[in-house]
Amino acid sequence: MAAVAAGERSAQTRLLERIAPRVHRLALLLTRSPADADDAAQLALLEILRSAGSFGAPANLVAWSDRIAARVVLESRRRERFRESLLFRWLTPGAQPWGGEGHVSAAQDGVGLAALFAKLSPERREVVVLRHALGYSQDEIAGLTGAPVGTVKDRLTAARKQLRRLLERDSKRLERGGER
């Protein structure tokens, strides 16, 4: 990591080859579109390279990079939501090219974890990914997202209930389809 911090290209390349796939998967889980995930992952990787000097020797490289990536992706999403809120003020309802009333994302038509996560609100998806995919405590999630611990707990509970309902609905649909 000292070589990465010193700007040594080969060390930076080795680090990126090691962590880039994981950072991209994390970004995909925390964003709704692959394009947003690509942008957020790129920003996270740049921040990881910039922060290499702060890496402590006893620290776990994967956990350290996960923490930076999660922080950068969430901050990127917050900025994007703010920009969208400004645009919403000037557009008529339903005219947003990125969604709005009547808009169905392609992920909602699919099956699997990505499709289920796409049905969660951004706030619920964030806490589920941070808790269950990355293993952060509720206190750590509160620190990363800026939400109070009680809000994090509420979002986790609501997300779990929503996912359970979605899974039950899908399993009933599959059972009905199998009876034909």
Side-chain angles (χ1 to χ4, degrees):
M1 288 303 288
V4 172
E8 187 179 307
R9 283 273 189 229
S10 63
Q12 291 175 337
T13 300
R14 284 192 310 275
L15 174 66
L16 292 177
E17 287 171 349
R18 180 174 176 191
I19 65 170
R22 183 177 175 95
V23 168
H24 192 262
R25 282 191 305 272
L26 174 61
L28 278 169
L29 289 171
L30 291 172
T31 59
R32 285 197 187 243
S33 78
D36 290 343
D38 291 344
D39 292 343
Q42 185 174 16
L43 290 173
L45 291 168
L46 289 170
E47 182 61 27
I48 288 168
L49 288 174
R50 276 193 290 270
S51 301
S54 70
F55 179 77
N60 177 332
L61 176 64
V62 173
W64 177 81
S65 64
D66 281 349
R67 187 173 215 51
I68 292 172
R71 181 178 44 81
V72 170
V73 171
L74 294 174
E75 180 58 34
S76 172
R77 288 197 54 250
R78 276 192 285 278
R79 279 194 307 271
E80 185 59 32
R81 281 196 307 259
F82 175 72
R83 282 192 291 266
E84 285 178 3
S85 74
L86 294 176
L87 289 172
F88 276 127
R89 294 179 190 169
W90 300 102
L91 296 173
T92 57
Q96 301 84 12
W98 52 82
E101 287 187 35
H103 175 77
V104 177
S105 93
Q108 290 174 328
D109 297 332
V111 292
L113 188 60
L116 286 173
F117 274 27
K119 294 177 183 178
L120 293 175
S121 71
E123 293 81 12
R124 289 180 182 176
R125 188 173 55 252
E126 287 172 2
V127 296
V128 168
V129 169
L130 292 172
R131 178 73 182 117
H132 297 291
L134 298 178
Y136 289 119
S137 71
Q138 293 172 350
D139 290 335
E140 291 170 322
I141 295 169
L144 283 168
T145 62
V149 175
T151 301
V152 169
K153 290 178 182 180
D154 289 344
R155 288 176 182 170
L156 276 169
T157 300
R160 289 176 186 140
K161 286 179 182 177
Q162 183 179 357
L163 288 170
R164 192 175 304 116
R165 280 192 312 271
L166 290 168
L167 288 169
E168 287 171 358
R169 186 195 69 204
D170 287 349
S171 72
K172 287 178 185 175
R173 188 179 330 141
L174 288 173
E175 286 173 8
R176 283 193 306 267
E179 293 172 355
R180 292 181 190 168

